[in-house]
Amino acid sequence: MSLVIYNTLSREKEPFVPIDPAHVRLYVCGPTVYDYVHIGNARPVVAFDVLYRLLKRRYPRVTYVRNITDIDDKIMARAAESGETIEALTKRTADAYQGDMRRLGALAPDAEPRATEYVGQMIELIQRLVDKGHAYAADGHVLFSVPSMPDYGRLSRKPRDELIAGARVEVAPYKKDPADFVLWKPSADTQAGWPSPWSRGRPGWHIECSAMSGALLGETFDIHGGGLDLIFPHHENEIAQSRSAFGHAIMAKYWMHNGFLNISGEKMSKSLGNFLTVHELLERYPAEAIRLLLLTAHYRQPLDFTQEGLQQARATLDRWYGLLRGKSVQPAEAVPQSVEEALSDDLNTPLAISAVHRLSDPAALLAGANALGLLQQEPEHWFRWTPVGAAGPGDAEIEVAIAARQAARKAKDFKESDRIRDELKAQGVILEDGPKGTTWKRG
C-alpha cells in the first residue's frame, strides 16, 4: 500500500515518492533547551516518531535528524538569571529532554545536532548568501534580502503586509527592506559569540536549521516536519535561505506540520496555571498513557489534553495489556493491514487505534500497538506503575496480603478475605481473580 501525506507546501495529500528510494531523509525541528519542555513540545516528537517507524518498515535506509537549539537569547537570559554557564544549563535541560522523550517511547533520531556544533557551517552558508546577492552586511549584522527571492511566502501563502506584520521583525535603520530577517547578529562582550567576517556574534535562529539539515541530509531532502506555529516565519525563512544558497527549486519535497495542543479546552499558559511540562506529567501519569493520548487526535488537528483523556488512555492500555498478561507473546512479523492502512493515510493514528481495538490475537495486537510505539513493556511492569511520591504498599507487601487473602479464602473465612481486598483497594491496589489465580494492578 502506498503512503500518502499532506504536504503543507501544496495544501494537498500527495503520494510519498522519495528523492532516493534507497535512502529516505527526514528533518524535524527540536526544542530550544533552557527549561523542561512542555507537553506541546512532545506532540511533534511522538507524531514524527510514528512516521519514522513507518518509514523504517518501508525503506532500506532512513536518516532522521532532530536538532537541539542550544544558543538563543532565552538561553542567555536564563543562564544569567540562574548563574549557570550556558553550557551547563543547556546540557542539563537537553539531557532532561532526551530522557523524557525516551520515556514517552520515542526512538532516538539518527542524528541530534546541537546548533553550537555547526556555527562554522552557518557562517559558510551566510557567506554564500552574501556572495550570491541574497544577503547583505550592515552594522555587524547580516540580513537576508527578502526581495531577492520572488516567491518568498509560498509555504505560508501570506500577502507581503501580513508577512511583515506576522514576522514581528525588528525595525532597524540598517535594514534595506522591512521584511528582511537576521542571519547573524553581533554579541556584546558579556554574551556568547563566535568570530565571523562581520562581527563577533551569533547566528539567527532560522539559519541554524538550514545549516544543520544541509550538513546532515544534503541540499535537498524528503520531509521537513515541525509544529504548525513554525510555518511562518521559521520554515518560510529556512526555505528562503536554503533555496537561495544552493540554487534548488525545493529545500524539502514534503512539509508536514502538527496542530496545536490545548489543556482542557484552553491555550496552555503559565498565567492560567495550566502550563504542563513533560517531566512533571511523567511523575504523575504512566508514560504510555501520555503517548496514547497524544495519538488520539490526528496529528494535523488540534488536540485537547485533559485528565479525563489520560484516564481513558490508561483504561485502554489496561485492556490491551490485560490481553497479554500471563502470556509469552512475540509480535506478529507484519503490522496488521488495518493498522498499516490507517497509518499510510497521512498518519491517521485515531483510525489506527480503532484498528488495534479490534485485534483479538495477542501477536497481532502487539504488532499493531508497537507500530504506534505502544505496549513496549512487560504487562506486569505496566500494572505496577505508581506515581512518584505516592503512598501505599510496596510490591512485596501486596504479595504478602494476597497470600493471606488466599489462605483466608481456603479456610472459607470470606469476611477476612473481603477485608484484605477492600483494604488494598483503599490503598489504590485492585485485585482481579481469575482461573489462573489473583493478579493485581495499581488503580
Side-chain angles (χ1 to χ4, degrees):
M1 65 196 76
S2 61
L3 170 61
V4 175
I5 59 179
Y6 182 86
N7 189 352
T8 307
L9 196 60
S10 66
R11 301 296 196 274
E12 293 180 350
K13 281 186 180 182
E14 299 178 8
F16 176 65
V17 181
I19 296 169
D20 176 5
H23 184 196
V24 173
R25 291 160 293 158
L26 165 68
Y27 186 93
V28 176
C29 291
T32 300
V33 286
Y34 63 97
D35 204 343
Y36 291 127
V37 298
H38 59 71
I39 187 61
N41 298 132
R43 192 179 189 193
V45 173
V46 170
F48 291 109
D49 179 68
V50 174
L51 175 64
Y52 181 40
R53 292 169 185 268
L54 176 61
L55 293 172
K56 284 167 71 72
R57 291 195 297 274
R58 300 287 184 91
Y59 297 96
R61 183 184 175 197
V62 180
T63 298
Y64 174 24
V65 177
R66 187 180 68 221
N67 76 293
I68 287 177
T69 294
D70 60 348
I71 181 63
D72 180 89
D73 288 356
K74 288 181 180 178
I75 293 173
M76 293 191 296
R78 181 60 58 88
E81 177 186 305
S82 66
E84 287 180 279
T85 65
I86 288 175
E87 293 76 12
L89 171 65
T90 57
K91 183 182 188 311
R92 176 173 61 81
T93 51
D95 287 350
Y97 163 74
Q98 291 168 330
D100 290 344
M101 296 308 107
R102 281 195 299 272
R103 290 176 65 188
L104 286 179
L107 299 175
D110 298 288
E112 198 164 22
R114 300 189 182 209
T116 53
E117 300 168 344
Y118 286 80
V119 174
Q121 289 89 333
M122 295 173 203
I123 291 172
E124 290 176 8
L125 191 59
I126 294 169
Q127 186 62 62
R128 192 168 184 165
L129 288 166
V130 171
D131 293 344
K132 289 191 165 191
H134 291 289
Y136 57 94
D139 292 354
H141 295 74
V142 182
L143 295 103
F144 184 88
S145 173
V146 168
S148 75
M149 185 179 182
D151 59 348
Y152 179 85
R154 182 177 161 208
L155 181 70
S156 56
R157 300 191 178 187
K158 293 178 180 292
R160 179 177 168 79
D161 56 344
E162 285 187 33
L163 289 172
I164 295 170
R168 295 193 285 274
V169 291
E170 180 187 358
V171 177
Y174 49 76
K175 281 191 174 186
K176 294 181 179 179
D177 186 279
D180 294 349
F181 58 88
V182 172
L183 303 173
W184 187 264
K185 52 190 171 183
S187 294
D189 292 342
T190 57
Q191 294 177 314
W194 289 261
S196 81
W198 315 286
S199 63
R200 178 187 172 276
R202 58 196 189 277
W205 175 35
H206 313 304
I207 198 67
E208 295 176 4
C209 286
S210 284
M212 288 184 280
S213 63
L216 293 167
L217 296 177
E219 296 178 0
T220 61
F221 53 93
D222 296 295
I223 300 172
H224 195 314
L228 198 64
D229 56 318
L230 298 182
I231 293 176
F232 185 83
H234 187 49
H235 288 168
E236 194 77 78
N237 291 350
E238 278 189 64
I239 291 172
Q241 295 160 165
S242 295
R243 285 186 53 201
S244 297
F246 300 129
H248 299 299
I250 61 166
M251 175 190 183
K253 190 173 180 182
Y254 303 89
W255 289 81
M256 299 178 70
H257 294 93
N258 63 275
F260 294 117
L261 182 146
N262 294 318
I263 305 296
S264 300
E266 294 184 298
K267 184 177 180 180
M268 186 164 43
S269 164
K270 288 183 179 178
S271 63
L272 293 174
N274 65 355
F275 189 85
L276 301 176
T277 69
V278 177
H279 203 75
E280 173 193 14
L281 284 166
L282 286 168
E283 293 183 342
R284 294 162 49 195
Y285 301 98
E288 284 196 3
I290 297 171
R291 182 183 177 99
L292 177 56
L293 178 53
L294 289 172
L295 295 173
T296 54
H298 189 275
Y299 80 94
R300 287 193 285 114
Q301 300 303 314
L303 169 67
D304 197 20
F305 196 90
T306 65
Q307 187 171 347
E308 294 76 18
L310 283 166
Q311 291 169 344
Q312 180 58 52
R314 189 172 183 183
T316 294
L317 288 160
D318 278 350
R319 175 181 171 273
W320 291 353
Y321 272 115
L323 294 172
L324 303 177
R325 199 172 196 179
K327 302 181 178 74
S328 178
V329 182
Q330 293 297 317
E333 289 189 11
V335 173
Q337 184 174 349
S338 57
V339 177
E340 193 77 357
E341 284 182 349
L343 296 179
S344 297
D345 182 12
D346 193 34
L347 291 188
N348 192 334
T349 55
L351 186 59
I353 291 167
S354 296
V356 173
H357 272 301
R358 295 193 295 272
L359 298 171
S360 56
D361 175 72
L365 171 70
L366 193 54
N370 284 177
L372 294 166
L374 299 167
L375 302 188
Q376 299 288 297
Q377 57 191 297
E378 292 297 321
E380 292 308 317
H381 291 165
W382 166 260
F383 287 115
R384 297 183 184 194
W385 179 87
T386 184
V388 172
D395 291 4
E397 192 178 347
I398 294 168
E399 295 293 349
V400 169
I402 289 174
R405 178 172 177 265
Q406 288 173 333
R409 295 178 75 188
K410 189 173 183 180
K412 299 191 184 302
D413 186 352
F414 298 114
K415 184 177 180 180
E416 174 64 6
S417 168
D418 290 348
R419 184 195 69 77
I420 294 172
R421 180 199 62 205
D422 293 344
E423 185 176 295
L424 287 172
K425 184 176 181 180
Q427 295 175 314
V429 179
I430 310 299
L431 302 186
E432 296 178 345
D433 297 316
K436 293 185 179 181
T438 300
T439 57
W440 61 272
K441 66 181 181 181
R442 297 189 188 272

